[in-house]
Amino acid sequence: MTLRRRFPIGDGGKIRGCSSGDDELFKKMPYALFGREILQNSIDVVQSDEEAVRVVFEEFEIPTKNIPGINQYKKQVELCKEYFKFSPENLDFCERILSKLNSGKINVLRISDFNTSGLRGIERTTLENNNFLAITKGTGVSIKPGVVSAGSKGVGKNAAINLSGIRMVFYATNTIDGYKGSLGVSELITGYINDDAAKNHGAYTQGSGYYEDVDSDINVVSDIITFQPNYNEREFKPGTDIYIMGFEAEEGWEKEVVNSALDSFMAAFVRGKLEIKVNNIEINQKELGSVVESDTILPKFKANIVSQYRLLKGASGVHTYDIDTDYGVLELLILPYKKDEEYLATHVCTMIRHPLMKIKNFDLGKNIQASAICVIGDDELGKKLRSIENPQHNDWEPKRFKDKSERKEIVAVLNFIQDEINRYVIECLQLGSDSPLDPYGAGDFLPEDSFGDEKGKADSQKVETEKTVISKKKPNVTRPKPGVAESDNPGDEGLQPVIGGIDESEDGPIMHPSDENSGSGGPSHPGAETSQEKEGDSEIFKKANLKVVKFNVICLNKSLGLYNVVFTPLEDKDDCYFRIVLLDDVNGKNLLPIKSIKIGERT
């Protein structure tokens, strides 16, 4: 073998600086996003479903002189400096790398996965079904074996290179097909070619470089490269080792990786599909419960992690529902929280898709004291949603569908799913009704027959010990029209209680809007005038406050400004005067025009 570092010539192509769009994706939360990307890549290439994928993160030091081809690498960084001598930003980038290369020791992080197929395709140069080329030399290229794999945009590998202080990563893989090999990958900036004649003609590099075997047709080093004398498992077991050279380890990085892993892959841990070791922190199906309750869990992750664990383990009080869509059945788990643990309520439904990876949250409303999980299986819906995920895999973006009809269809499906989630959450709160579970008047928004009667009490006792399984077909949803105060189908836009109240004990001046109150047929009122009681020859009408038990405003559709006003009077009156006022910053009351009112008993 003839090993060397090679930086391909740019050949008049693009010039690369130190700011890259792909790199920027992972700079906000580098360790959390790095851990998430690593684990999803490993889960995607699972070898056997009969056992868990195991991923090990181990940090250690080596002498800097042991970095393969270090002198060639230093020379190339100097050529990058020379090329960008006019740019302070790029010069600083190069100086930081040289400083680390000239130190006596360098930090290294090894990430190794087991029960995986390895990076298949290492034995050839064709891209078809070649995971090895996609991850080592591809940009925007992802070759995954499963139709519904977790990663799909081909930019996740930047999460690893971003954590290298010298911009260098080594890959060593042993595939289930019996092929072994290694390759070093570097992501620098454009620099002059390391050849005087070419340099005089202005020839420059692409920025990317490789540590490879010149004598090999595929340029891959045929041996398994390792930087730890006491580690040789990759020689005998399929899987992949990733070495991040010059690993920039900040204090507490292990907890960031662990918490991100639990938050993103809790279903995989609970169901025995994944286990990890991050330095001395071990997480597997057996130890999961103790880890979730330990100080390893950071405060910003605690509610999400604890709630997901309880939901997936089927803790007391968890309700299970089926959401039946045109693309398959979704599993919905809901856990209401009582007063003493409401701080653990996430107020969201966590959306998880095959292979058991969290994608995003659907909001339930800040006053809904519950947490939920919705699991999307390995079906047509999962395939469609994977195709419209953003590069970070934390949202679905329907606009990624070029076909408008397809885009409209997936939007309708997602809206239907969210409507169903909201409806079942309210149903779940209703089944287990007691005062701590009534989210500031949300009970008034629900059918009355399950509150206070014996049947409701029996249902409440029943759900404490067993799951409630309800399967319902996709309904024909009728959307409420803007301006209607009460919706026939309050679940359409989701229950998002917005609490508002008026001090009825003080009936001070009310500012009228400069508009016409079409509901009463009255004339326009200038904003400066006030509404007051005036004396006349005879008493025509005198206002008196109507006492109420409850007064709640519930948002039906925030974007349309659609709200449902719920109140229950203690006394009957033939003639009533109803007003809605908007309180400003100093509690001034501004009367709002009422377009229409629907009066009727709650159904």
Side-chain angles (χ1 to χ4, degrees):
M1 289 189 295
T2 305
L3 304 179
R4 69 167 185 183
R5 286 199 172 271
R6 179 174 66 91
F7 286 84
I9 190 170
D11 196 22
K14 292 183 179 180
I15 295 171
R16 178 178 180 177
C18 62
S19 296
S20 166
D22 289 346
D23 292 347
E24 293 296 325
L25 292 173
F26 302 99
K27 286 185 176 180
K28 185 176 180 180
M29 299 174 62
Y31 300 104
L33 293 175
F34 156 72
R36 176 180 166 91
E37 291 292 332
I38 289 292
L39 295 179
Q40 76 168 35
N41 285 338
S42 296
I43 288 178
D44 280 345
V45 291
V46 58
Q47 181 181 355
S48 170
D49 288 328
E50 300 300 317
E51 58 182 285
V53 169
R54 179 172 173 80
V55 183
V56 176
F57 299 75
E58 187 169 326
E59 188 181 4
F60 58 94
E61 280 188 339
I62 63 170
T64 309
K65 64 181 181 180
N66 288 359
I67 299 175
I70 184 172
N71 292 328
Q72 291 174 291
Y73 196 67
K74 286 181 181 179
K75 176 62 176 176
Q76 188 57 47
V77 178
E78 292 287 357
L79 292 169
C80 292
K81 277 183 62 179
E82 189 175 353
Y83 189 88
F84 275 104
K85 58 186 177 183
F86 61 88
S87 170
E89 182 183 13
N90 287 291
L91 285 175
D92 182 61
F93 172 83
C94 295
E95 288 291 353
R96 291 198 306 270
I97 293 175
L98 288 172
S99 175
K100 289 180 172 62
L101 292 173
N102 290 324
S103 63
K105 290 185 177 181
I106 198 163
N107 202 34
V108 180
L109 179 68
R110 173 175 60 86
I111 307 104
S112 301
D113 61 30
F114 302 93
N115 186 34
T116 61
S117 62
L119 293 176
R120 305 176 78 173
I122 190 173
E123 74 283 1
R124 48 193 164 83
T125 57
T126 55
L127 185 59
E128 184 179 4
N129 297 322
N130 196 323
N131 297 85
F132 182 79
L133 281 182
I135 197 170
T136 57
K137 296 187 176 183
T139 298
V141 176
S142 180
I143 309 294
K144 296 296 179 78
V147 177
V148 188
S149 54
S152 60
K153 305 302 177 188
V155 298
K157 53 185 168 288
N158 295 288
I161 203 76
N162 275 348
L163 293 178
S164 168
I166 61 174
R167 305 287 293 177
M168 183 190 300
V169 173
F170 278 86
Y171 296 88
T173 193
N174 182 353
T175 74
I176 57 174
D177 304 315
Y179 296 99
K180 300 178 183 178
S182 305
L183 188 70
V185 179
S186 302
E187 297 293 344
L188 292 176
I189 58 178
T190 292
Y192 286 115
I193 294 293
N194 190 15
D195 178 271
D196 290 338
K199 178 181 174 182
N200 291 335
H201 287 86
Y204 57 82
T205 68
Q206 299 174 11
S208 299
Y210 307 95
Y211 182 75
E212 59 189 19
D213 180 9
V214 179
D215 299 330
S216 169
D217 292 337
I218 56 176
N219 300 125
V220 173
V221 180
S222 58
D223 292 337
I224 295 293
I225 293 179
T226 180
F227 296 93
Q228 289 177 285
N230 59 342
Y231 171 74
N232 61 0
E233 285 186 80
R234 188 56 60 217
E235 287 284 354
F236 312 105
K237 297 179 181 179
T240 302
D241 298 332
I242 301 175
Y243 293 92
I244 301 179
M245 312 302 290
F247 175 62
E248 296 187 313
E250 295 182 3
E251 184 179 358
W253 74 266
E254 297 99 329
K255 286 188 177 182
E256 287 283 347
V257 170
V258 166
N259 280 261
S260 175
L262 291 172
D263 182 43
S264 299
F265 299 96
M266 179 60 78
F269 285 110
V270 170
R271 297 180 181 181
K273 302 297 182 182
L274 178 66
E275 58 185 46
I276 65 174
K277 182 180 180 183
V278 185
N279 280 341
N280 295 321
I281 304 175
E282 183 90 31
I283 301 181
N284 52 46
Q285 189 181 34
K286 182 180 178 180
E287 304 295 331
L288 188 57
S290 60
V291 174
V292 167
E293 300 297 335
S294 72
D295 59 3
T296 300
I297 307 304
L298 300 173
K300 62 182 177 181
F301 286 99
K302 189 172 182 62
N304 288 329
I305 289 175
V306 172
S307 287
Q308 285 192 59
Y309 177 74
R310 293 183 181 182
L311 281 159
L312 292 161
K313 290 291 288 184
S316 176
V318 172
H319 303 257
T320 301
Y321 299 85
D322 290 333
I323 298 178
D324 191 3
T325 75
D326 294 338
Y327 299 98
V329 179
L330 283 62
E331 179 186 4
L332 177 64
L333 308 172
I334 303 171
L335 176 60
Y337 279 99
K338 298 187 179 182
K339 194 71 176 178
D340 58 338
E341 285 192 319
E342 64 182 16
Y343 65 94
L344 290 174
T346 61
H347 319 289
V348 301
C349 179
T350 298
M351 306 300 294
I352 296 174
R353 72 158 175 82
H354 182 83
L356 300 180
M357 175 181 175
K358 171 185 173 181
I359 301 299
K360 65 173 297 181
N361 293 325
F362 278 159
D363 287 334
L364 302 176
K366 288 298 182 184
N367 294 313
I368 299 295
Q369 303 302 332
S371 300
I373 284 178
C374 184
V375 182
I376 302 167
D378 185 2
D379 52 23
E380 186 178 356
L381 179 60
K383 298 171 189 177
K384 282 184 172 290
L385 293 178
R386 178 190 64 120
S387 67
I388 60 171
E389 280 175 18
N390 60 6
Q392 301 96 315
H393 304 288
N394 61 11
D395 201 2
W396 294 307
E397 300 173 350
K399 288 186 178 180
R400 291 179 179 269
F401 278 139
K402 294 182 179 179
D403 185 271
K404 290 185 178 180
S405 61
E406 194 172 14
R407 187 189 309 163
K408 185 177 180 180
E409 182 180 3
I410 199 66
V411 167
V413 172
L414 288 173
N415 285 339
F416 168 71
I417 291 172
Q418 188 163 10
D419 288 345
E420 288 292 272
I421 289 170
N422 283 320
R423 182 167 68 87
Y424 281 131
V425 166
I426 296 304
E427 183 174 317
C428 176
L429 292 175
Q430 181 183 1
L431 287 172
S433 63
D434 57 23
S435 54
L437 294 182
D438 184 8
Y440 302 100
D444 291 325
F445 195 68
L446 302 169
E448 195 170 31
D449 53 6
S450 291
F451 284 92
D453 57 10
E454 293 304 316
K455 182 179 181 299
K457 293 178 181 178
D459 288 341
S460 176
Q461 294 170 358
K462 182 178 179 181
V463 298
E464 291 297 324
T465 57
E466 64 183 30
K467 298 181 182 179
T468 304
V469 182
I470 301 176
S471 178
K472 300 209 175 178
K473 296 292 183 180
K474 180 177 178 180
N476 294 323
V477 179
T478 303
R479 301 281 178 190
K481 296 180 180 179
V484 179
E486 180 174 295
S487 169
D488 289 330
N489 190 348
D492 284 349
E493 293 296 332
L495 181 63
Q496 297 181 8
V498 178
I499 308 305
I502 301 173
D503 186 358
E504 295 293 342
S505 63
E506 295 182 11
D507 192 21
I510 300 174
M511 303 301 295
H512 287 273
S514 300
D515 197 0
E516 179 175 315
N517 192 332
S518 58
S520 62
S524 300
H525 301 280
E529 291 185 4
T530 61
S531 175
Q532 296 179 346
E533 200 174 330
K534 297 182 179 180
E535 293 185 4
D537 296 333
S538 61
E539 183 176 284
I540 298 174
F541 183 79
K542 185 175 182 179
K543 292 185 294 183
N545 290 335
L546 181 66
K547 297 179 180 179
V548 296
V549 177
K550 296 179 181 178
F551 186 97
N552 294 297
V553 179
I554 299 178
C555 178
L556 296 177
N557 189 319
K558 186 175 181 180
S559 61
L560 295 177
L562 188 62
Y563 296 83
N564 195 45
V565 180
V566 182
F567 67 95
T568 304
L570 284 176
E571 53 186 336
D572 293 329
K573 294 289 183 181
D574 292 331
D575 297 307
C576 293
Y577 177 87
F578 185 78
R579 73 182 181 209
I580 299 177
V581 299
L582 181 67
L583 301 181
D584 60 24
D585 294 339
V586 293
N587 263 355
K589 299 176 182 179
N590 298 277
L591 187 65
L592 299 180
I594 300 174
K595 296 288 180 77
S596 63
I597 297 178
K598 179 177 179 181
I599 301 175
E601 293 183 357
R602 188 176 56 203
T603 59

